């Protein structure tokens, strides 16, 4: 376990969040997505989107958190983004009311691979759960690629499991299967041991 902490993202973090997203996707998804798609992602465009997400979130329960590694210097090493479940969280042909107002959707939870296995993902998830609880959410959902064993294993060790929903993303004429995981948001924080 490393020394680190989680805090809300700031506008000045946007470029680093985009860099972490690209670096992580290019490693974690290199066997899942076409190389030209990964190579064609524009870091500046992603940074603009993250800046907008941090500066002007769609609502007060939309959150972007960052994980910071503390050493001689501090480094942003990961991030998590979540908000109320919307149409993007639904499975194909699932009715709009299927998830309800008490469900939060995780859109991103990434730790740059070189900083992995140091507790940052767990800290991001725990901080997110605390905010979800405060906001009154009682269930969380997240879409993961079926072939992304690392994310599936990480979330399953935290109690997440498939909810039976699936979809396939059309990525440059290649269908990439995803499954939706879910977990109950605990009503109380865990007790310190």
């Amino acid at each position: 376990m490393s020394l680190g902490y989680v805090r809300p993202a700031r506008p000045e973090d946007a470029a680093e969040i985009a860099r972490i997203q690209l670096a992580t996707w290019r490693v974690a998804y290199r066997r899942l997505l076409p190389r030209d798609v990964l190579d064609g992602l524009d870091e500046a465009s992603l940074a603009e989107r993250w800046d907008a997400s941090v500066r002007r979130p769609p609502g007060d329960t939309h959150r972007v958190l960052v994980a910071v590694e503390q050493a001689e210097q501090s480094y942003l090493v990961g991030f998590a983004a979540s908000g109320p479940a919307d149409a993007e969280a639904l499975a194909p042909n699932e009715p709009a009311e299927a998830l309800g107002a008490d469900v939060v959707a995780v859109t991103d939870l990434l730790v740059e691979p070189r900083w992995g296995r140091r507790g940052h993902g767990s800290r991001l998830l725990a901080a997110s759960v605390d905010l979800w609880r405060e906001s009154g959410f009682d269930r969380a959902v997240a879409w993961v690629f079926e072939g992304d064993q690392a994310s599936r294993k990480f979330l399953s060790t935290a109690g997440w499991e498939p909810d039976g929903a699936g979809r396939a993303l059309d990525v440059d004429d290649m269908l990439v299967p995803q499954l939706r995981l879910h977990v109950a948001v605990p009503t109380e924080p865990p007790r310190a041991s």
Side-chain angles (χ1 to χ4, degrees):
M1 191 77 84
S2 68
L3 291 176
Y5 61 93
V6 171
R7 64 167 171 77
R10 303 174 188 139
E12 61 268 22
D13 297 329
E16 190 63 3
I17 292 170
R19 187 199 62 75
I20 291 167
Q21 183 176 23
L22 278 183
T24 304
W25 281 12
R26 287 177 175 156
V27 170
Y29 302 151
R30 71 180 181 269
R31 298 196 195 294
L32 301 174
L33 301 175
R35 183 178 182 159
D36 60 316
V37 169
L38 291 171
D39 289 345
L41 293 170
D42 179 50
E43 191 169 328
S45 175
L46 286 174
E48 287 176 17
R49 288 188 205 155
W50 284 114
D51 182 69
S53 294
V54 171
R55 286 182 194 272
R56 296 176 304 284
D60 57 358
T61 57
H62 286 81
R63 305 270 175 39
V64 180
L65 302 175
V66 293
V68 179
E69 167 90 9
Q70 284 185 258
E72 290 179 21
Q73 295 182 356
S74 293
Y75 304 94
L76 245 57
V77 297
F79 67 96
S82 63
D86 59 11
E88 294 296 315
L90 295 171
N93 303 315
E94 191 171 37
E97 64 278 2
L99 293 178
D102 57 350
V103 178
V104 64
V106 177
T107 56
D108 292 280
L109 177 58
L110 298 172
V111 173
E112 190 174 1
R114 66 186 171 133
W115 298 102
R117 305 194 55 81
R118 297 169 66 91
H120 298 297
S122 296
R123 281 191 284 277
L124 282 166
L125 189 54
S128 296
V129 168
D130 288 343
L131 292 171
W132 301 339
R133 184 184 311 104
E134 290 172 15
S135 298
F137 294 113
D138 62 19
R139 191 164 67 98
V141 296
W143 287 101
V144 295
F145 291 115
E146 282 186 12
D148 182 0
Q149 296 302 316
S151 293
R152 290 179 64 183
K153 182 178 179 185
F154 170 73
L155 290 171
S156 70
T157 61
W160 294 65
E161 54 188 23
D163 70 359
R167 67 183 182 188
L169 296 183
D170 185 348
V171 182
D172 201 27
D173 289 331
M174 179 179 150
L175 292 179
V176 185
Q178 291 186 308
L179 59 106
R180 190 171 63 199
L181 303 179
H182 73 128
V183 71
V185 175
T187 56
E188 295 180 15
R191 293 180 182 208
S193 30

